[in-house]
Amino acid sequence: MKLLLHVALVLALCASVANAQKIDIEAIKSKAANDADEFAEVRALMRDQDANLRLAAFDALVSHGDPSLYEIAVSMGLADVDEIIRARALWEILVRTKNLQFLVDPEGSVTENDAQKRLYDTYQGRMNFQVGNALKQLNCVNMYYVKDECVGGYNLGVNGTLVSFIYANANLDGSLRLDTDGVLRGTLRNTRMKLDFPVEVHLR
């Protein structure tokens, strides 16, 4: 009798859990349709012919707090024909990133054998750097350190779509520019090896 009662209780509990886990398909479809309409309107704003309207839409989306709206804003902002909007998208990404990965000589344009070998032995094709904090008033992103000032020797200096980079501990400095495909491209120099080489940073 006790066994039958125990089985009955287990079955009742399973049925209760199953009912609680039922998915309201219609509610999901309705929400998805509403979200799709909203995202379509947002994308239309980000494609408007008026650059001022696109910039206002960008600012509203990144400050909204919805991760999906943020992704739409920065993805479309990076590809915008207006350099001011592209610069805003670049800054918003740099503010939020925790690590930057540099691809070293991604196109294999360093052809001198000794230089190729030194690059590969040193970097194996990529470098990773921890990001500290961003200081908008100084157009500075500190690398590694979190400070209320721009840390000399360890920072990104951001001027529109142009980024200067220095990381003293790795003997590196150089500059990169945001291309229209949303990739930072430029040249770094290893001051110890006296070697210049191209780099890329893919932001998305």
Side-chain angles (χ1 to χ4, degrees):
M1 183 66 179
K2 287 183 179 180
L3 178 59
L4 290 175
L5 180 60
H6 178 72
V7 171
L9 287 172
V10 170
L11 290 174
L13 179 60
C14 289
S16 176
V17 171
N19 287 332
Q21 292 178 342
K22 279 185 178 178
I23 297 174
D24 188 339
I25 299 297
E26 291 305 316
I28 292 174
K29 287 167 64 177
S30 176
K31 183 179 186 309
N34 289 335
D35 288 348
D37 290 342
E38 182 180 86
F39 293 158
E41 291 179 11
V42 163
R43 289 189 175 95
L45 279 176
M46 289 295 298
R47 294 191 190 100
D48 194 273
Q49 292 184 351
D50 186 344
N52 291 324
L53 179 56
R54 297 200 306 276
L55 182 58
F58 177 89
D59 288 337
L61 294 175
V62 297
S63 62
H64 183 276
D66 185 317
S68 297
L69 296 179
Y70 168 80
E71 286 300 325
I72 291 173
V74 295
S75 295
M76 297 186 71
L78 286 175
D80 201 284
V81 295
D82 187 276
E83 189 159 340
I84 293 176
I85 298 174
R86 292 174 56 237
R88 287 282 292 110
L90 171 62
W91 178 260
E92 290 298 331
I93 292 170
L94 293 177
V95 164
R96 289 167 172 78
T97 193
K98 299 302 180 186
N99 292 279
L100 281 179
Q101 182 180 92
F102 288 71
L103 301 181
V104 175
D105 191 24
E107 303 296 326
S109 57
V110 176
T111 56
E112 200 272 316
N113 287 337
D114 180 59
Q116 278 185 338
K117 184 178 187 309
R118 285 189 293 159
L119 275 180
Y120 182 78
D121 289 346
T122 305
Y123 303 116
Q124 288 81 50
R126 66 192 64 227
M127 300 178 291
N128 291 287
F129 297 98
Q130 183 178 341
V131 178
N133 65 315
L135 303 168
K136 177 60 177 174
Q137 67 275 20
L138 300 176
N139 294 320
C140 172
V141 178
N142 286 321
M143 304 301 295
Y144 185 73
Y145 296 97
V146 177
K147 299 279 189 179
D148 292 330
E149 59 185 5
C150 196
V151 180
Y154 296 89
N155 67 72
L156 297 172
V158 185
N159 182 13
T161 57
L162 181 65
V163 176
S164 63
F165 173 80
I166 183 168
Y167 204 95
N169 190 50
N171 306 295
L172 291 169
D173 63 63
S175 62
L176 305 91
R177 183 175 289 278
L178 179 66
D179 277 346
T180 54
D181 60 356
V183 177
L184 281 169
R185 291 186 175 89
T187 301
L188 296 186
R189 178 173 179 80
N190 184 309
T191 55
R192 181 178 58 81
M193 294 195 301
K194 297 183 173 61
L195 181 61
D196 297 332
F197 52 92
V199 293
E200 290 183 0
V201 177
H202 291 251
L203 299 171
R204 311 308 297 151

